[in-house]
Amino acid sequence: MEHVDKKTNVMTTFVRFLNKKILQNPTNMIKYIGWFFNLMLQLIHFTQEREILYMKMKREDVRNIAIIAHVDHGKTTLVDELLKQSGVFRANQEVEERVMDSNDIERERGITILSKNTAVYYKDTKINIIDTPGHADFGGEVERVLKMVNGVILVVDAFEGAMPQTKFVLRKALDLNLPVIVCINKIDRPEARPDEVIDEVLELFMDLDASDDQLDCPFIYASAKSGIAVLDLTDEEKDMKPLFETILEYIPAPEGDPDASTQVLISTIDYNEYVGRIGVGKVDNGSIKVGMDAIVVNEHNPDRQEKVRINKLYEFDGLNKIDVKEASIGSIVAISGIADISIGDTICSPEEPKAIPFQKISEPTIAIQFIVNDSPFAGQEGKYVTSRHLRDRLFRELNTDVSLRVEESDSTDSFKVSGRGELHLSVLIENMRREGYEFAVSKAEVLYKKDEHGKLLEPMEAAYIDVPDEFTGTVIDKLSQRKGELQGMGTTGGGYTRLEFKIPSRGLIGYRGEFLTDTKGNGIMNTAFDGYAPYKGDIQYRKQGSLIAFETGESVTYGLYSAQERGVLFIGPGEKVYSGMVIGENAKTDDIEVNVCKTKHLTNTRSSSADEALRLTTPKVLSLEEALDFIDTDELLEVTPENLRIRKKILDPKMRKRGNK
């Protein structure tokens, strides 16, 4: 309102100036008549502006922020410290690291998969905090939650600097004109280079066409692990108070009209098996109360007009949801009791149902077939094995994961599941496996599009690779074979080279394991979706063939000893195998059948204990991701709670050879 008052004062001064000029010389009236009309138009505009501003109210006791960053730059650890230092936990309470990562897979892998809501209090101000994923496969989570906040904290590693996902999440924040606080984290690392990283971040801001106001953002230096933040590297390191103060000072309070009709935009969906779907969103206008009637509308679905009643309303407090009877503008709330509530829905008053604009969810780029397991060992290890079990579980996943697509096929035993990347789908597979499901999955395939001329388009990825200097040539050669185009190359210091590639998404399928082998585990690869481009031609996924079990039985040392000369084994002695099961990788390009169940015949001069003298190499036990990377287009991965088995789609060797002709 100060802004409007200043403009009004300018107008008043201008009117006095005109009166003076006209009184001095009446002939000046014609000269200044255009000025007068222009003045009147501006006064009308300013009056309207003032009315709008008077209608809107700032809620100074609330701040809504999101923590955004590249994967593993310390977002979740930073939220941990904000929770601890705000007094959420008791002094003697035992608190786990990364307390916001509630999912077992999140904890094991050290990544955030789903965005999480929490709230802390500082100086009587409630700060709603949303912890977002950093991996590109879960970028859809970031896109949505930014609609709930009034500013972001961009966390950047003091050594790694600006990375691909840093650019992605920052672009989303700048597009929404959100104020940004830059937090240079991990300043306690021995190799930290905070000053250089600040220059990189400012360069990134300029690359993304940030405004002058956005460029004038505050910088905070922090070590989330140590629980300290400072405004200057020379300041005394005590606690996170400088960050709290910067949030209150720089992040604007939420605005809205408390007397207007209710508008709550649903940005996240949670799920509870007892209450069903829970919609999480911010109250933009009006207020929402328990027991009130409302209408659910959606900008992208104009036909949707569903009458509902608000039965349960929650706000976030620390790690808990607390029941509330009413919530006003700026509050982030969770609403249960609306069965089919979806992301992008707006809950409105019945008198004035008006949807809030919301960006569409990014489309999936990778698909995998989920198939009922029909191997000889089917149903022996899993609790849920039928097509009905599989179908119900996949469609239930859609309750919380809006980036996922599930399609039924002509066969009742197969479902096409599409997601944002291999990691996105592998997390789903691992979750189902742990829940007791048994099924088979195919090799990942990309989802193509066609342009207006019918030309085939395929999804592309921007790959940023940090690799030791001695392996640079190998990586460039391998990615070039997979239709990758080198876009840039430079040194990062410490004997590492940074490569930037533009490569088809299918070119990265099955490459990560090979990449780690080629770089002896020292390479780092990050990717981000980079739109669609014309089809680049065929790619050979795997140069090595498979070692296939010849018969059903139990593997023995003697048979394995003969087979290991052919390549790398995936199994050891005493494991159950069946005909058509892949038990290793052939050193050559062809598939070979081997009999790993073969035992040595006893004679007068041979004893059964002679096997003890045979030495087997340690088998290569594949993880879920490695197995998904390894399988070829004619193979399946059998997933059970206890085992991962690779098999040929056609188990019978005669039928398989006939099909390959």
Side-chain angles (χ1 to χ4, degrees), residues 67 80 84 133 158 206 231 287-288 374 404 484 522 525 552 559 561:
I67 313 281
D80 279 1
K84 287 174 186 175
M206 288 186 281
L231 295 171
S287 62
I288 186 166
D374 62 354
L404 204 71
N522 293 310
M525 180 166 63
T552 302
Y561 184 75

Side-chain angles (χ1 to χ4, degrees), residues 332-345:
I332 292 178
V333 295
I335 304 161
S336 67
I338 303 174
D340 55 350
I341 193 151
S342 302
I343 287 173
D345 286 348

Side-chain angles (χ1 to χ4, degrees), residues 29 90 164 187 311 325 342 374 388 412 480 507:
M29 183 174 288
R90 300 187 311 274
I187 57 170
N311 296 321
K325 297 296 181 186
S342 302
D374 62 354
R388 180 178 62 82
T412 56
S480 299

Side-chain angles (χ1 to χ4, degrees), residues 11-23:
M11 290 297 112
T12 306
T13 306
F14 190 48
V15 170
R16 287 173 183 165
F17 167 77
L18 286 178
N19 285 333
K20 186 179 177 183
K21 287 288 184 182
I22 292 167
L23 287 170

Side-chain angles (χ1 to χ4, degrees), residues 240-267:
M240 301 299 281
K241 187 178 175 182
L243 180 56
F244 279 118
E245 292 288 349
T246 306
I247 291 170
L248 295 192
E249 182 183 343
Y250 193 74
I251 303 298
E255 282 186 7
D257 185 356
D259 300 321
S261 297
T262 303
Q263 281 184 306
V264 182
L265 177 63
I266 303 300
S267 301

Side-chain angles (χ1 to χ4, degrees), residues 138-178:
F138 309 108
E141 290 283 319
V142 182
E143 293 177 48
R144 297 194 304 273
V145 300
L146 291 182
K147 295 286 285 186
M148 282 195 287
V149 300
N150 302 102
V152 298
I153 298 175
L154 177 69
V155 181
V156 185
D157 190 299
F159 170 67
E160 290 187 357
M163 299 294 281
Q165 193 68 359
T166 312
K167 185 176 182 178
F168 172 81
V169 294
L170 181 59
R171 179 187 283 120
K172 296 293 180 187
L174 295 179
D175 288 347
L176 291 168
N177 292 316
L178 294 173

Side-chain angles (χ1 to χ4, degrees), residues 46-247:
F46 291 136
T47 303
Q48 290 172 342
E49 187 178 346
R50 171 173 276 198
E51 285 175 359
I52 291 167
L53 284 170
Y54 272 125
M55 283 193 297
K56 290 207 170 188
M57 186 188 87
K58 284 192 175 183
R59 191 171 168 196
E60 294 292 346
D61 62 335
V62 173
R63 296 291 188 277
N64 298 322
I65 61 167
I67 313 281
I68 59 175
H70 184 80
V71 63
D72 203 32
H73 278 201
K75 298 181 300 300
T76 305
T77 307
L78 184 69
V79 176
D80 279 1
E81 280 304 315
L82 293 176
L83 285 166
K84 287 174 186 175
Q85 296 194 26
S86 65
V88 169
F89 306 116
R90 300 187 311 274
N92 62 344
Q93 187 173 344
E94 188 176 332
V95 183
E96 296 177 325
E97 286 188 4
R98 303 194 315 278
V99 70
M100 295 290 286
D101 286 345
S102 51
N103 185 297
D104 287 342
I105 298 177
E106 289 182 318
R107 291 191 169 282
E108 290 168 16
R109 303 191 186 197
I111 60 172
T112 300
I113 295 170
L114 299 169
S115 59
K116 311 287 194 316
N117 291 70
T118 187
V120 301
Y121 286 87
Y122 181 75
K123 289 186 174 179
D124 299 324
T125 299
K126 184 178 184 180
I127 303 173
N128 287 305
I129 304 171
I130 304 174
D131 182 23
T132 65
H135 199 284
D137 282 18
F138 309 108
E141 290 283 319
V142 182
E143 293 177 48
R144 297 194 304 273
V145 300
L146 291 182
K147 295 286 285 186
M148 282 195 287
V149 300
N150 302 102
V152 298
I153 298 175
L154 177 69
V155 181
V156 185
D157 190 299
F159 170 67
E160 290 187 357
M163 299 294 281
Q165 193 68 359
T166 312
K167 185 176 182 178
F168 172 81
V169 294
L170 181 59
R171 179 187 283 120
K172 296 293 180 187
L174 295 179
D175 288 347
L176 291 168
N177 292 316
L178 294 173
V180 181
I181 298 171
V182 180
C183 176
I184 307 298
N185 193 28
K186 304 186 185 183
I187 57 170
D188 53 345
R189 287 183 66 169
E191 64 273 40
R193 47 185 190 94
D195 293 333
E196 294 173 44
V197 169
I198 284 177
D199 292 341
E200 289 178 18
V201 173
L202 287 171
E203 192 175 327
L204 183 59
F205 269 85
M206 288 186 281
D207 288 345
L208 296 173
D209 296 324
S211 66
D212 290 345
D213 289 340
Q214 290 169 331
L215 278 168
D216 192 26
C217 61
F219 283 82
I220 298 280
Y221 303 93
S223 169
K225 194 175 179 182
S226 304
I228 57 103
V230 290
L231 295 171
D232 193 278
L233 289 170
T234 57
D235 293 349
E236 186 183 355
E237 299 176 352
K238 287 185 179 178
D239 48 29
M240 301 299 281
K241 187 178 175 182
L243 180 56
F244 279 118
E245 292 288 349
T246 306
I247 291 170

